[in-house]
Amino acid sequence: MTGKLRAGLSLLLAACLLLVCEDAYAGRTKDQETDAGADEQEIWARTGGGITYSGAVKDDGQAPGNLTPTASDWEPPPCWYAPYLGAKDFKRVTKKSIEGQMTTPGMTGHAGSALKQLLDHYEDGYSWPNHPGFKDWNVENDGEGMFWAGVPNPAEEDVLARGECSEVPFWVDNQEPPPDWAQGEAIEPRMLAELAYERMIVPDTAAELRPAGEQVVNLPTWVWLDGEQFQPVTAEARVPALNMWARTTATPVSLTIDPGTDDAELHPGGGECAMDGDGGVGTPYRKGDAGKVPPCGVTYLRSSESTGPYDFTASVTWRVTWSASDGTTDELLPTGIIEATQELDVREIQSVVR
């Protein structure tokens, strides 16, 4: 098969399988009921294919979460190869899709030839390098393996990267690894951990400030976090067909404050306040603490009247680890950050009574 024809075949197959593949791997937060009457877009549930997400994840597992990795060069996989359908279901879904495309008006030339060869590949044993052909869609081996397919990461914004796993679906026997050429992109536990991280939801950084609202020059602003809200959170990604899972855990470790101006003194110096044993930060302000230096906070040295409100930013840093079905425990992923910014007016007066 020529490079041009093979490229055309891959593009056509992507179009043929768009409805079933995109939905099949979109990600679900829980296993669905298996049902012989399920439509084509729910076949993944009956065959055990796809990735399911649970725990602290965004929506239904399709959208990114709110935790930003600190490593600028780290990215979760844009696509991967994973179990798709058993032989009988693959034949029913894919044959119908290909034949439908072949009857589309104007489907001639390279496009028509590619579709014909694709059909021959699964029905009559037509092969090309690294892709041995099949007889009758390999139905005789149904239950002894699955067809694997390329899966686009719905949370990946780069359309080209999402489509890199463009090889036509291939067969993998049960308990056997995918072919060598697919190893770098075949789903594996670390990928699952990264996908769970990408979708993870942690509590918003809602720092308490005293005084609330307007601040005063040379009087400390106390900053703290409620320990009950900042506890470790876990997200899990699982491939039921492979009995493969990865569990990603984010644990808050510190709060960093940025006063929004150089005319300020941070407490402690540098503005990084460590979490205590209960997940809290700093100490809540109490009556009579006005003249004291807070364990976590800021003292503004100049009013904001001439510049406008200062952008006060509080950022919580989360340590991220993962464990998986392959025996991996507490492996590190890039640290994550979630921040919140609020405008603070700082005024200058001669005396203050709190």
Side-chain angles (χ1 to χ4, degrees), residues 229-243:
Q229 296 182 22
F230 288 86
Q231 299 296 320
V233 298
T234 298
E236 183 176 288
R238 180 180 293 269
V239 182
L242 301 176
N243 196 26

Side-chain angles (χ1 to χ4, degrees), residues 127-151:
S127 303
W128 58 87
N130 295 323
H131 288 277
F134 304 91
K135 293 293 185 180
D136 188 26
W137 303 83
N138 208 28
V139 167
E140 67 177 2
N141 293 314
D142 190 54
E144 298 179 13
M146 294 185 72
F147 278 100
W148 286 42
V151 185

Side-chain angles (χ1 to χ4, degrees), residues 171-344:
W171 182 262
V172 178
D173 287 328
N174 293 334
Q175 310 305 319
E176 293 295 326
D180 291 342
W181 59 263
Q183 287 293 329
E185 294 172 318
I187 195 68
E188 45 89 22
R190 185 179 182 88
M191 285 186 183
L192 291 178
E194 293 173 342
L195 291 169
Y197 184 179
E198 184 180 32
R199 289 153 177 76
M200 178 175 281
I201 293 291
V202 300
D204 290 331
T205 304
E208 297 279 352
L209 276 66
R210 288 292 186 278
E214 193 173 60
Q215 308 301 307
V216 178
V217 170
N218 293 325
L219 282 180
T221 299
W222 289 59
V223 180
W224 69 94
L225 295 176
D226 184 351
E228 292 184 1
Q229 296 182 22
F230 288 86
Q231 299 296 320
V233 298
T234 298
E236 183 176 288
R238 180 180 293 269
V239 182
L242 301 176
N243 196 26
M244 179 190 296
W245 56 265
R247 194 170 294 124
T248 300
T249 300
T251 303
V253 293
S254 66
L255 170 72
T256 301
I257 54 179
D258 179 349
T261 175
D262 292 334
D263 294 315
E265 181 182 351
L266 294 169
H267 315 295
E272 183 174 2
C273 310
M275 292 277 175
D276 60 31
D278 296 327
V281 172
T283 302
Y285 173 84
R286 294 180 175 82
K287 185 177 180 180
D289 286 342
K292 299 179 182 178
V293 176
C296 183
V298 56
T299 300
Y300 284 99
L301 306 178
R302 181 174 296 181
S303 76
S304 61
E305 293 177 356
S306 62
T307 62
Y310 296 134
D311 289 330
F312 174 88
T313 301
S315 305
V316 174
T317 298
W318 297 74
R319 181 177 183 268
V320 184
T321 61
W322 64 282
S323 302
S325 53
D326 64 354
T328 300
T329 57
D330 295 327
E331 285 290 314
L332 287 174
L333 286 170
T335 298
I337 286 180
I338 181 169
E339 65 181 30
T341 299
Q342 58 183 298
E343 293 184 345
L344 290 184

Side-chain angles (χ1 to χ4, degrees), residues 36-55:
D39 62 29
E40 291 173 359
Q41 294 185 7
E42 295 294 336
I43 282 180
W44 72 275
R46 297 191 288 112
T47 60
I51 297 176
T52 61
Y53 298 92
S54 60

Side-chain angles (χ1 to χ4, degrees), residues 4-65:
K4 180 182 287 188
L5 193 57
R6 186 176 178 188
L9 186 153
S10 295
L11 289 173
L12 283 168
L13 183 65
C16 291
L17 299 182
L18 180 63
L19 291 178
V20 289
C21 284
E22 287 275 3
D23 192 78
Y25 292 102
R28 308 298 171 101
T29 55
K30 60 182 180 181
D31 290 333
Q32 310 230 348
E33 293 293 332
T34 59
D35 181 2
D39 62 29
E40 291 173 359
Q41 294 185 7
E42 295 294 336
I43 282 180
W44 72 275
R46 297 191 288 112
T47 60
I51 297 176
T52 61
Y53 298 92
S54 60
V57 293
K58 175 75 171 182
D59 298 332
D60 56 2
Q62 296 188 56

Side-chain angles (χ1 to χ4, degrees), residues 86-109:
K88 290 181 179 179
D89 284 325
F90 183 71
K91 174 182 178 180
R92 179 170 66 84
V93 173
T94 311
K95 182 176 181 179
K96 178 181 178 181
S97 183
I98 294 174
E99 290 179 341
Q101 290 289 321
M102 292 177 70
T103 59
T104 301
M107 190 62 70
T108 58

